[in-house]
Amino acid sequence: MSDKTKAANAMWGGRFAAGPDAIMEAINASIGFDQRMAAQDIEGSRAHAAMLAATGVITDSDADAIREGLLTVLSEIESGGFEFSTALEDIHMNVEARLKDLIGEPAGRLHTGRSRNDQVATDFKLWVRDQMDAAISGLEALIRALLTQAEAGADWVMPGFTHLQTAQPVTWGHHMMAYVEMFGRDMSRFQDARVRMNESPLGAAALAGTSFPIDRHMTAEALGFDRPAANSLDAVADRDFALEFLSSATICAMHLSRFAEELVIWSSAQFRFVALSDRFSTGSSIMPQKKNPDAAELIRAKIGRIMGAMVGLFTVMKGLPLTYSKDMQEDKEQVFDAADSLMLALAAMTGMVSDMSANTDSLEAAASSGFSTATDLADWLVRALNMPFRDAHHVTGSLVAMAEGKGCDLPDLSLADMQSVHADITNAVFDVLGVHNSVASRTSYGGTAPSEVKKQIARWKDTLS
Ligand code: ARG
């Protein structure tokens, strides 16, 4: 059939003499991607049909036929036997058309008191809500893996960095727990957003509500929403929930990327801080010695598409007048892709963290180099000699310069060397120059001392249980 003579759309073609041009059909259709919301679409329709029967808008027998028919459609889709049609545009009309094939006339009553506008908002919310839950459990698994690492190495010493220059010794456990805090905030962002988004758009109809005596509280409850959205215009125009998902996902992906970057550095031959497992590494086809941290690199990169999706959807939404505009059909693919990328990145990071083994000798050797206990020395001068910190900083600087000149580290200087810079320095200074004493002394709340780290691990275990 040529485009010119093609029949008008069966769902809305009443006023159309001819069907759409092939190009129109191609740009208009979303079935290629929104079929991912089939289960949510059918769940929403089942809730709507049950409500229409309960309120007397349709008969019980029509509602029964609709329910049975929808279950058949769902199983056809799940088994892969469903034929999606581009001419039917989207998942909503594909499902309804198939329902009509199966049950006939009652199918036409399902769309009473609703529109595709509230329907798509409902489907998409249900889909995004599931992804929020998946992100929350993915993050919890990652946090648990980090806690296991932190517990094992609560007192392993490693260098802490600023500017990627050795700054002060810290503990492995403390470093792992820094990520626990970050991923914990990510988790709470998804939790917050989930609470805020949990209002049902269903029954807002096209935009203005409906004259049918529907019960939006009933459908809201059936779909696990806390309440119906209170303004029908907002209900169909709102995509904040998707934007909040993408924003939370972007921040989480940024954290994942920072950690991934550290793992790339740490697993290099120059650092040798960690060994990544074979399960999360790959080889090179030409260089036999290579073991590459590909998973970490890909996790590091995922923020590109996740943040891209966020910027993309903000750009789509920013100038849209109320209420629904077809632009909004461009909301889904980006969210789907971002969600897939985030879940995969979380799972890969969790696997890598669980499997990786720290090279405690390299960590400690690195922690002991680069004058990492210079601050401990300055603090000792303040405490033992009652020196103002600024003066202590200066004296320590001279001692660092002396050690550098001699090609040794601070603990290798003799007492005579020390006293040549400041006569009052005593042997007791050497106690603070060792990295283990250094970390053990940092017992301020949130500090790197193993005793503090263990408290934080216990607090997190408590929070998660
Ligand atoms: N496929 C559409 C979407 O994803 C469904 C809503 C269509 N509504 C409309 N008024 N044309 O946004």
Side-chain angles (χ1 to χ4, degrees), residues 11-291:
M11 296 287 167
W12 45 250
R15 63 161 292 175
F16 287 77
D21 188 270
I23 302 287
M24 178 61 211
E25 201 171 276
I27 196 173
N28 198 37
S30 54
I31 189 61
F33 48 88
D34 67 13
Q35 51 183 272
R36 273 190 81 164
M37 306 191 307
Q40 289 77 9
D41 191 70
I42 288 169
E43 193 189 349
S45 288
R46 287 180 57 197
H48 186 67
M51 179 278 291
L52 290 177
T55 52
V57 177
I58 65 173
T59 63
D60 285 343
S61 73
D62 282 348
D64 289 345
I66 290 170
R67 192 190 59 241
E68 291 306 313
L70 285 171
L71 288 174
T72 305
V73 177
L74 181 62
S75 67
E76 287 175 356
I77 292 174
E78 282 175 342
S79 69
F82 192 94
E83 236 182 81
F84 292 105
S85 148
T86 308
L88 288 167
E89 287 183 33
D90 56 27
I91 186 61
H92 325 295
M93 298 206 296
N94 269 268
V95 169
E96 194 184 317
R98 179 65 185 139
L99 185 66
K100 184 150 185 280
D101 293 345
L102 290 167
I103 66 168
E105 198 234 50
R109 301 187 187 278
L110 171 59
H111 213 51
T112 315
R114 84 172 181 189
S115 145
R116 273 190 294 157
N117 296 347
D118 57 336
Q119 194 181 354
V120 72
T122 304
D123 295 2
F124 196 31
K125 262 196 170 180
L126 292 173
W127 196 91
V128 169
R129 196 177 67 186
D130 282 350
Q131 297 301 310
M132 299 237 188
D133 290 339
I136 291 164
S137 32
L139 280 161
E140 186 176 330
L142 176 54
I143 289 173
R144 287 188 189 283
L146 286 162
L147 286 172
T148 303
Q149 283 286 352
E151 219 169 13
D155 55 6
W156 299 342
V157 180
M158 66 178 282
F161 298 96
T162 60
H163 315 268
L164 196 56
Q165 307 285 324
T166 301
Q168 294 174 347
V170 296
T171 48
W172 170 265
H174 200 46
H175 201 110
M176 295 299 119
M177 292 305 287
Y179 282 103
V180 168
E181 294 294 329
M182 289 177 246
F183 294 126
R185 285 195 297 277
D186 292 339
M187 205 159 107
S188 77
R189 258 182 286 275
F190 285 114
Q191 284 160 340
D192 289 350
R194 192 197 192 286
V195 171
R196 207 166 14 257
M197 75 170 287
N198 207 26
E199 297 184 340
S200 172
L202 195 58
L207 73 166
T210 176
S211 57
F212 291 101
I214 61 169
D215 184 349
R216 294 190 57 212
H217 293 273
M218 183 179 165
T219 45
E221 200 188 322
L223 297 170
F225 288 111
D226 294 326
R227 65 191 79 81
N231 181 297
S232 63
L233 303 176
D234 175 50
V236 296
D238 167 42
R239 292 294 181 273
D240 292 4
F241 59 95
L243 292 167
E244 283 201 64
F245 174 75
L246 292 173
S247 313
S248 307
T250 299
I251 298 176
C252 179
M254 176 272 292
H255 290 145
L256 286 166
S257 187
R258 293 183 78 170
F259 193 20
E261 164 72 357
E262 295 202 312
L263 294 179
V264 170
I265 295 173
W266 290 359
S267 61
S268 68
Q270 288 68 25
F271 270 74
R272 295 188 358 93
F273 281 8
V274 294
L276 301 176
S277 73
D278 288 358
R279 301 196 317 145
F280 286 95
S281 309
T282 56
S284 157
S285 54
I286 176 167
M287 296 166 284
Q289 85 284 9
K290 291 285 292 249
K291 185 167 161 188

Side-chain angles (χ1 to χ4, degrees), residues 299-316:
I299 293 168
R300 185 172 60 184
K302 287 293 182 202
I303 179 145
R305 41 208 298 177
I306 294 173
M307 183 162 63
M310 179 189 72
V311 174
L313 186 54
F314 270 110
T315 311
V316 167

